[in-house]
């Protein structure tokens, strides 16, 4: 579904990724690990076409066929089905949960909202609450839920479980596993073992290079 070949990425003159190659198929969960500064967030940004200069090939296969998307603008990648949740979540803090969801919605908003709330039942009780008045874990669920309103085929998540209460980590894991069963492809930066233990594949980044890959038993 997503195939990356020899991706190099640069912040100005400084190179942050070196010949990174990977592939994620439909229904696969790939977890990306590495120390601080290894380039994990950079890889997700490069796949979305954000913030930095990237060279290399990114092939994306969706219902409409396969395309080389490395020169596409970010909004076009998003519209084609790449969903991204940044580490800082980028919610509209003054807007309510429902408003945050609807900002992202297309024509089938009501139906989609119902589906997304089934996946994150915690949010159902909070629909009228401003995002600013939620816990970190609840905000993380909302950020993922908002991205799901756009019908992504590939999810790119940056540390969804970091700093979150264990019970909410389990809810996030269960939601991601149900999306996996629906065929979403997922690349998730995550040190938390609750999620990593369920990955099809672990990728280990060291100083901008893939230095290890492990298939799940
Ligand atoms: P962390 O776990 O700390 O988020 P990471 O593995 O996600 O680490 P990145 O944030 O991708 O690492 O950073 C990779 C390298 O790129 C680091 O050396 C970092 O200093 C550099 N870098 C990241 N963002 C920028 C930026 N906006 N401008 C310049 N250099 C950057």
């Amino acid at each position: 579904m997503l195939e990356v070949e020899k991706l190099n990425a640069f912040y100005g003159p400084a190179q942050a990724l070196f010949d990174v190659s990977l592939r994620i198929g439909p229904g696969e969960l790939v977890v990306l690990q590495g120390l601080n500064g290894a380039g994990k967030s950079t890889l997700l940004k490069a796949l979305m076409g954000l913030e930095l200069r990237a060279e290399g090939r990114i092939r994306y296969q969706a219902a409409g066929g396969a395309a080389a998307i490395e020169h596409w603008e970010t909004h076009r990648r998003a519209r084609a089905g790449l969903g991204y949740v940044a580490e800082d979540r980028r919610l509209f803090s003054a807007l309510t949960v429902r408003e945050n969801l609807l900002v992202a919605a297309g024509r089938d908003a009501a139906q989609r909202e119902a589906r997304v709330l089934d996946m994150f039942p915690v949010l159902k009780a909070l629909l009228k609450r401003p995002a600013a008045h939620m816990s970190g874990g609840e905000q993380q669920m909302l950020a993922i839920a908002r991205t799901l309103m756009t019908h992504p085929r590939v999810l790119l998540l940056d540390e969804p479980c970091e700093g979150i209460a264990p019970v909410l980590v389990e809810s996030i894991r269960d939601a991601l596993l149900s999306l996996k069963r629906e065929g979403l492809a997922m690349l998730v930066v995550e040190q938390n073992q609750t999620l990593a233990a369920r990955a099809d594949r672990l990728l280990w980044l060291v100083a901008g290079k893939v230095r290890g890959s492990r298939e799940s038993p």
Side-chain angles (χ1 to χ4, degrees):
M1 180 158 268
L2 196 66
E3 209 172 318
V4 177
E5 213 179 308
K6 297 205 168 166
L7 191 69
N8 291 283
F10 306 82
Y11 291 105
Q15 185 162 0
L17 294 178
F18 299 81
D19 284 339
V20 170
S21 298
L22 62 100
R23 51 184 306 161
I24 315 168
E28 278 188 337
L29 170 63
V30 177
V31 167
L32 187 60
Q33 300 193 316
L35 301 177
N36 287 344
K40 306 177 299 293
S41 301
T42 297
L43 176 54
L44 299 193
K45 287 176 190 164
L47 295 176
M48 283 312 290
L50 287 164
E51 282 178 45
L52 70 168
R53 186 167 62 82
E55 293 170 357
R57 284 179 49 80
I58 308 174
R59 269 174 69 79
Y60 172 57
Q61 186 141 17
I69 65 166
E70 62 267 10
H71 298 302
W72 289 12
E73 298 281 344
T74 300
H75 62 85
R76 188 171 174 203
R77 298 185 200 199
R79 227 179 318 124
L82 265 60
Y84 169 61
V85 181
E87 211 170 354
D88 63 10
R89 306 181 190 125
R90 315 231 169 123
L91 294 168
F92 298 104
S93 55
L95 297 187
T96 65
V97 168
R98 169 158 274 155
E99 288 163 344
N100 268 281
L101 292 176
L102 294 182
V103 163
R107 267 175 301 160
D108 60 344
Q111 200 183 350
R112 191 65 186 163
E113 186 194 66
R115 174 78 189 92
V116 160
L117 291 175
D118 278 344
M119 205 168 292
F120 293 107
V122 168
L123 297 178
K124 269 188 204 168
L126 303 174
L127 279 174
K128 292 183 180 158
R129 185 174 300 187
H133 300 168
M134 297 163 75
S135 76
E138 291 161 353
Q139 289 184 4
Q140 185 64 51
M141 288 182 180
L142 176 56
I144 297 170
R146 183 181 60 176
T147 298
L148 292 174
M149 292 295 286
T150 66
H151 296 276
R153 308 288 310 281
V154 177
L155 263 189
L156 307 172
L157 305 181
D158 204 342
E159 306 222 41
C161 304
E162 201 201 6
I164 287 176
V167 56
L168 295 188
V169 168
E170 284 174 17
S171 306
I172 291 174
R173 174 202 59 197
D174 292 346
L176 296 182
L177 291 175
S178 107
L179 292 165
K180 177 171 156 52
R181 285 192 293 274
E182 286 177 18
L184 253 81
M186 285 179 270
L187 178 61
V188 183
V189 174
E190 193 51 76
Q191 309 294 351
N192 190 304
Q193 286 311 308
T194 308
L195 189 64
R198 306 300 294 269
D200 295 296
R201 203 149 55 244
L202 294 177
L203 281 186
W204 185 254
L205 265 192
V206 178
K209 299 178 182 136
V210 176
R211 272 297 155 81
S213 167
R214 187 166 66 74
E215 301 286 329
S216 287

